[in-house]
Amino acid sequence: MTASSRTVAVGGDHPYQIHIGPGLLAQGELLAQAIRGRHVLLVSDDTVAPLYLEGVRAALLAARPDLKTSQHIIPAGEASKTLDNFSATITALAALGATRDACVLALGGGVVGDLGGFAAACWMRGVDCVQLPTSLLAMVDSSVGGKTAVDIPQGKNLVGAFHPPRAVIADTAALRSLPVRELRAGLAEVIKYGAIRDPLFFQWLQAEREALLAADDTALAQAIARSCEHKAEIVERDPLEKGERALLNLGHTFGHAIETAQGYGAPGNDNLNHGEAVAVGMVLAARLSAALGMAEAADTDALRDLLAAYGLPVTIPAGLEAEALLAHMRLDKKNIAGRLRLVLWRGIGKAEVVPDVDEAAVLEVLRQG
Ligand code: GLY
């Protein structure tokens, strides 16, 4: 471990550690610690694999020359998070001859983590998965907590499983090559933690904007560690989202509806990515909270202004119909008995789950864009 590395522990029935620091993907001993058996499938995408995959394999084999490794590379982008690619990942595990003590190393952003994690959850009813997130969004959210899934045309993440990783190893040096749009998308999820439960962190994010957008190592490491501490605390108490974990979905019901209505899309098009859709979704959730009399409009303004200052979108993209978005929201996993159940807030740092939200009020907010 380097002096600037940090570790966040996630407790509960399946405890594991989140290692955060520069250069961790080159640390073979650290990678090897998490491998129990002899079979390792590296899952990655065609953007990340050329940068890091052979380095990870070499570091791992230097520490554990007995390992049998293979790889499965998918095209980069949300459009790859499909049942077909899930099936191809399973086929790769079968071709490797992976036994029950095998490990999937998910090297990449949220798409690779969700897909690789879901394949690990299903192969032989569950093998280990070590998450090696290379995007900020994956480091602060999707690699932690064990949610794994693929998308179907009817909605995002509708097919999946809870499968906690065996370890998370976040090499912050990977962020230096991250496109600024991806950095901003990750910062939307960082801002989310301030919005749902940490007003001081919200203020810190207002003050540190320039450093974070410049990908300053120290500021980013602090933001990642604080975000992971929040997530660890919540998933430790509520791993299966029976209660407070739902708070981590502030803005996600609106955001997923936007992503689904756009059709996930291929890389290079103008569709909002996940973090951007969540940014818009958080503003919509705050506006709805104000409209329902739960919160002051000034808090909505502060959230909108902070997201906009980070260069994130804060309104629904043109061309998406309010009624169509509401129809997608009705398929959200949080809903119970056909009623809309949304994460709203009472102001900065005070998110709460609200069951049976009035659809007319939601539609009104969606119509205002
Ligand atoms: N991304 C929200 C959660 O992990 O619960």
Side-chain angles (χ1 to χ4, degrees), residues 141-142 144-145 147 189 192 231 235 241 245-246 248-249 252:
D141 184 29
S142 57
V144 177
K147 278 190 181 175
E189 294 278 5
K192 179 190 77 179
K231 183 138 189 192
V235 298
E241 200 170 307
R245 182 166 181 170
L248 293 171
N249 289 318
H252 282 59

Side-chain angles (χ1 to χ4, degrees), residues 95-353:
L96 178 64
T99 48
R100 249 202 173 143
D101 51 6
C103 184
V104 173
L105 288 185
L107 173 68
V111 170
V112 164
D114 282 9
L115 178 75
F118 186 39
C122 295
W123 178 248
M124 295 195 172
R125 300 202 181 93
V127 296
D128 290 340
C129 179
V130 173
Q131 294 280 350
L132 306 177
T134 57
S135 73
L136 181 60
L137 192 138
M139 290 182 192
V140 299
D141 184 29
S142 57
S143 69
V144 177
K147 278 190 181 175
T148 71
V150 293
D151 305 329
I152 56 174
Q154 291 82 353
K156 261 186 71 100
N157 299 335
L158 286 183
V159 184
F162 286 102
H163 187 63
R166 187 161 164 81
V168 179
I169 300 173
D171 185 341
T172 50
L175 300 177
R176 292 179 197 143
S177 58
L178 199 66
V180 68
R181 189 172 169 193
E182 295 299 323
L183 188 73
R184 289 183 172 140
L187 287 166
E189 294 278 5
V190 174
I191 291 169
K192 179 190 77 179
Y193 293 103
I196 62 176
R197 69 198 308 261
D198 191 345
L200 283 180
F201 189 43
F202 192 91
Q203 281 173 19
W204 182 83
L205 289 164
Q206 285 170 320
E208 295 296 319
R209 182 181 64 91
E210 277 183 29
L212 287 165
L213 283 175
D216 173 82
D217 279 339
T218 311
L220 276 178
Q222 223 170 317
I224 295 165
R226 191 78 196 113
S227 301
C228 286
E229 282 163 8
H230 278 302
K231 183 138 189 192
E233 224 179 282
I234 290 179
V235 298
E236 182 173 327
R237 284 197 293 258
D238 182 19
L240 303 181
E241 200 170 307
K242 299 206 183 294
E244 70 172 313
R245 182 166 181 170
L247 298 178
L248 293 171
N249 289 318
L250 178 68
H252 282 59
T253 308
F254 287 106
H256 284 172
I258 291 170
E259 286 180 87
T260 306
Q262 293 178 143
Y264 309 134
N269 67 18
D270 280 340
N271 288 353
L272 297 192
N273 62 33
H274 177 64
E276 292 166 341
V278 166
V280 176
M282 287 194 287
V283 175
L284 296 174
R287 277 177 35 210
L288 179 59
S289 306
L292 294 173
M294 289 175 59
E296 300 293 332
D299 286 307
T300 310
D301 295 346
L303 176 60
R304 184 203 55 212
D305 292 350
L306 182 61
L307 292 164
Y310 274 88
L312 287 157
V314 292
T315 54
I316 299 172
L320 299 185
E321 297 292 332
E323 284 76 8
L325 291 171
L326 180 62
H328 289 304
M329 291 173 73
R330 291 197 187 105
L331 251 191
D332 187 84
K333 296 187 288 307
K334 283 185 296 306
N335 297 341
I336 294 176
R339 311 265 183 220
L340 274 190
R341 198 162 153 263
L342 294 178
V343 184
L344 301 179
W345 75 354
R346 295 200 178 271
I348 295 159
K350 290 179 285 187
E352 67 181 53
V353 177

Side-chain angles (χ1 to χ4, degrees), residues 25-164:
L25 288 180
Q27 295 192 15
E29 291 296 338
L30 179 67
L31 297 165
Q33 264 172 28
I35 314 286
R36 292 185 301 135
R38 286 191 52 234
H39 298 110
V40 173
L41 179 71
L42 282 141
V43 178
S44 192
D45 70 36
D46 57 9
T47 301
V48 172
L51 299 174
Y52 306 114
L53 190 137
E54 285 313 326
V56 167
R57 196 202 314 265
L60 195 57
L61 287 174
R64 282 279 310 272
D66 62 311
L67 291 177
K68 188 172 173 202
T69 70
S70 71
Q71 66 196 52
H72 181 62
I73 314 292
I74 57 168
E78 185 74 29
S80 284
K81 226 174 88 175
T82 59
L83 283 167
D84 281 351
N85 275 326
F86 164 76
S87 169
T89 312
I90 292 293
T91 303
L93 280 161
L96 178 64
T99 48
R100 249 202 173 143
D101 51 6
C103 184
V104 173
L105 288 185
L107 173 68
V111 170
V112 164
D114 282 9
L115 178 75
F118 186 39
C122 295
W123 178 248
M124 295 195 172
R125 300 202 181 93
V127 296
D128 290 340
C129 179
V130 173
Q131 294 280 350
L132 306 177
T134 57
S135 73
L136 181 60
L137 192 138
M139 290 182 192
V140 299
D141 184 29
S142 57
S143 69
V144 177
K147 278 190 181 175
T148 71
V150 293
D151 305 329
I152 56 174
Q154 291 82 353
K156 261 186 71 100
N157 299 335
L158 286 183
V159 184
F162 286 102
H163 187 63

